[in-house]
Short mmCIF file of all heavy atoms in Angstrom, two decimals:
data_model
loop_
_atom_site.label_atom_id
_atom_site.label_comp_id
_atom_site.label_asym_id
_atom_site.label_seq_id
_atom_site.Cartn_x
_atom_site.Cartn_y
_atom_site.Cartn_z
N LEU A 14 -91.06 146.85 113.43
CA LEU A 14 -90.86 147.82 114.58
C LEU A 14 -89.53 147.83 115.17
O LEU A 14 -88.97 148.95 115.44
CB LEU A 14 -91.90 147.57 115.71
CG LEU A 14 -93.23 147.87 115.49
CD1 LEU A 14 -94.16 147.56 116.70
CD2 LEU A 14 -93.48 149.29 115.14
N PHE A 15 -88.92 146.70 115.27
CA PHE A 15 -87.54 146.61 115.83
C PHE A 15 -86.58 145.80 114.83
O PHE A 15 -86.06 144.89 115.16
CB PHE A 15 -87.65 145.88 117.20
CG PHE A 15 -88.64 146.43 118.09
CD1 PHE A 15 -89.74 145.66 118.54
CD2 PHE A 15 -88.47 147.67 118.54
CE1 PHE A 15 -90.68 146.12 119.48
CE2 PHE A 15 -89.38 148.21 119.51
CZ PHE A 15 -90.51 147.43 119.90
N PRO A 16 -86.26 146.51 113.75
CA PRO A 16 -85.48 145.87 112.72
C PRO A 16 -84.04 145.61 113.18
O PRO A 16 -83.56 144.53 112.89
CB PRO A 16 -85.52 146.80 111.58
CG PRO A 16 -85.89 148.10 112.18
CD PRO A 16 -86.78 147.89 113.29
N LYS A 17 -83.46 146.55 113.90
CA LYS A 17 -82.08 146.33 114.33
C LYS A 17 -82.03 145.09 115.31
O LYS A 17 -81.07 144.34 115.24
CB LYS A 17 -81.58 147.48 115.09
CG LYS A 17 -81.29 148.62 114.13
CD LYS A 17 -80.93 149.92 114.82
CE LYS A 17 -80.71 151.08 113.91
NZ LYS A 17 -80.42 152.45 114.50
N THR A 18 -82.91 144.88 116.25
CA THR A 18 -82.93 143.78 117.21
C THR A 18 -83.18 142.42 116.45
O THR A 18 -82.40 141.47 116.62
CB THR A 18 -83.99 144.10 118.29
OG1 THR A 18 -83.77 145.15 118.97
CG2 THR A 18 -84.10 142.87 119.20
N CYS A 19 -84.05 142.44 115.48
CA CYS A 19 -84.37 141.18 114.84
C CYS A 19 -83.13 140.92 113.87
O CYS A 19 -82.83 139.69 113.71
CB CYS A 19 -85.66 141.44 114.01
SG CYS A 19 -87.02 141.58 115.09
N LEU A 20 -82.61 141.90 113.26
CA LEU A 20 -81.40 141.59 112.36
C LEU A 20 -80.28 141.01 113.21
O LEU A 20 -79.60 140.14 112.68
CB LEU A 20 -81.07 142.85 111.51
CG LEU A 20 -79.86 142.71 110.63
CD1 LEU A 20 -80.15 141.69 109.58
CD2 LEU A 20 -79.55 144.09 110.03
N LYS A 21 -80.03 141.66 114.47
CA LYS A 21 -79.02 141.21 115.43
C LYS A 21 -79.25 139.71 115.74
O LYS A 21 -78.29 138.91 115.54
CB LYS A 21 -78.92 142.05 116.52
CG LYS A 21 -77.85 141.62 117.49
CD LYS A 21 -78.02 142.51 118.86
CE LYS A 21 -77.00 142.10 119.79
NZ LYS A 21 -76.87 142.91 120.95
N MET A 22 -80.53 139.31 116.04
CA MET A 22 -80.54 137.92 116.42
C MET A 22 -80.28 137.20 115.16
O MET A 22 -79.80 135.96 115.27
CB MET A 22 -82.16 137.74 116.86
CG MET A 22 -82.34 138.37 118.18
SD MET A 22 -84.04 137.84 118.83
CE MET A 22 -85.04 138.90 117.89
N THR A 23 -80.84 137.47 113.97
CA THR A 23 -80.60 136.73 112.81
C THR A 23 -79.15 136.53 112.50
O THR A 23 -78.73 135.42 112.29
CB THR A 23 -81.44 137.47 111.61
OG1 THR A 23 -82.87 137.56 111.96
CG2 THR A 23 -81.17 136.68 110.33
N ARG A 24 -78.52 137.60 112.49
CA ARG A 24 -77.01 137.58 112.01
C ARG A 24 -76.22 136.77 112.99
O ARG A 24 -75.29 135.99 112.70
CB ARG A 24 -76.45 138.89 112.01
CG ARG A 24 -77.06 139.85 110.86
CD ARG A 24 -76.61 139.22 109.48
NE ARG A 24 -77.01 140.22 108.50
CZ ARG A 24 -77.95 139.78 107.44
NH1 ARG A 24 -78.29 138.58 107.51
NH2 ARG A 24 -78.25 140.69 106.63
N LEU A 25 -76.47 136.94 114.41
CA LEU A 25 -75.73 136.03 115.45
C LEU A 25 -76.08 134.58 115.12
O LEU A 25 -75.24 133.69 115.20
CB LEU A 25 -76.19 136.51 116.80
CG LEU A 25 -75.64 137.77 117.19
CD1 LEU A 25 -76.40 138.22 118.50
CD2 LEU A 25 -74.14 137.70 117.49
N ALA A 26 -77.38 134.13 114.97
CA ALA A 26 -77.77 132.84 114.60
C ALA A 26 -77.03 132.27 113.42
O ALA A 26 -76.48 131.18 113.36
CB ALA A 26 -79.16 132.61 114.60
N GLN A 27 -77.00 133.11 112.36
CA GLN A 27 -76.33 132.60 111.05
C GLN A 27 -74.79 132.50 111.28
O GLN A 27 -74.28 131.77 110.58
CB GLN A 27 -76.63 133.70 110.03
CG GLN A 27 -78.09 133.71 109.48
CD GLN A 27 -78.39 134.81 108.57
OE1 GLN A 27 -77.69 136.05 108.67
NE2 GLN A 27 -79.37 134.63 107.79
N ALA A 28 -74.23 133.29 112.19
CA ALA A 28 -72.78 133.13 112.47
C ALA A 28 -72.43 131.91 113.32
O ALA A 28 -71.37 131.75 113.71
CB ALA A 28 -72.26 134.40 113.00
N GLY A 29 -73.54 131.10 113.73
CA GLY A 29 -73.31 130.01 114.60
C GLY A 29 -73.20 130.45 116.13
O GLY A 29 -72.69 129.59 116.93
N LEU A 30 -73.58 131.63 116.44
CA LEU A 30 -73.40 132.16 117.84
C LEU A 30 -74.84 132.07 118.63
O LEU A 30 -75.41 133.02 118.89
CB LEU A 30 -72.93 133.57 117.87
CG LEU A 30 -71.60 133.80 117.16
CD1 LEU A 30 -71.19 135.37 117.10
CD2 LEU A 30 -70.45 133.15 117.79
N ALA A 31 -75.21 130.77 118.81
CA ALA A 31 -76.49 130.52 119.33
C ALA A 31 -76.82 131.20 120.62
O ALA A 31 -77.88 131.70 120.86
CB ALA A 31 -76.65 128.92 119.37
N ASP A 32 -75.85 131.06 121.57
CA ASP A 32 -76.16 131.66 122.78
C ASP A 32 -76.26 133.09 122.83
O ASP A 32 -77.23 133.66 123.47
CB ASP A 32 -74.98 131.32 123.92
CG ASP A 32 -74.94 129.86 124.29
OD1 ASP A 32 -75.94 129.15 124.16
OD2 ASP A 32 -73.81 129.31 124.67
N GLU A 33 -75.43 133.77 121.95
CA GLU A 33 -75.58 135.28 121.79
C GLU A 33 -76.87 135.58 121.11
O GLU A 33 -77.50 136.70 121.41
CB GLU A 33 -74.32 135.88 121.05
CG GLU A 33 -73.12 135.72 121.82
CD GLU A 33 -72.24 134.45 121.60
OE1 GLU A 33 -72.91 133.31 121.31
OE2 GLU A 33 -71.12 134.43 121.90
N ALA A 34 -77.35 134.65 120.24
CA ALA A 34 -78.54 135.03 119.55
C ALA A 34 -79.80 134.89 120.47
O ALA A 34 -80.75 135.51 120.29
CB ALA A 34 -78.82 134.05 118.33
N GLU A 35 -79.73 134.04 121.39
CA GLU A 35 -80.72 133.82 122.39
C GLU A 35 -80.97 135.04 123.27
O GLU A 35 -82.07 135.30 123.78
CB GLU A 35 -80.42 132.59 123.29
CG GLU A 35 -80.68 131.26 122.51
CD GLU A 35 -82.04 130.87 122.33
OE1 GLU A 35 -82.97 131.43 123.01
OE2 GLU A 35 -82.28 129.95 121.60
N GLN A 36 -79.93 135.88 123.60
CA GLN A 36 -79.98 136.99 124.57
C GLN A 36 -81.00 137.96 124.29
O GLN A 36 -81.90 138.26 125.00
CB GLN A 36 -78.57 137.59 124.68
CG GLN A 36 -77.69 136.62 125.48
CD GLN A 36 -76.21 137.20 125.58
OE1 GLN A 36 -75.87 138.25 125.02
NE2 GLN A 36 -75.29 136.42 126.15
N PRO A 37 -81.11 138.52 123.00
CA PRO A 37 -82.10 139.58 122.70
C PRO A 37 -83.55 138.87 122.78
O PRO A 37 -84.43 139.44 123.13
CB PRO A 37 -81.66 139.99 121.32
CG PRO A 37 -80.35 139.55 121.09
CD PRO A 37 -80.15 138.44 121.97
#
């Protein structure tokens, strides 16, 4: 249902941006 939001969380975590991945 929310592919963009889920992809954003995944990509941020994969980039090592843990705090940013937590926000969504």
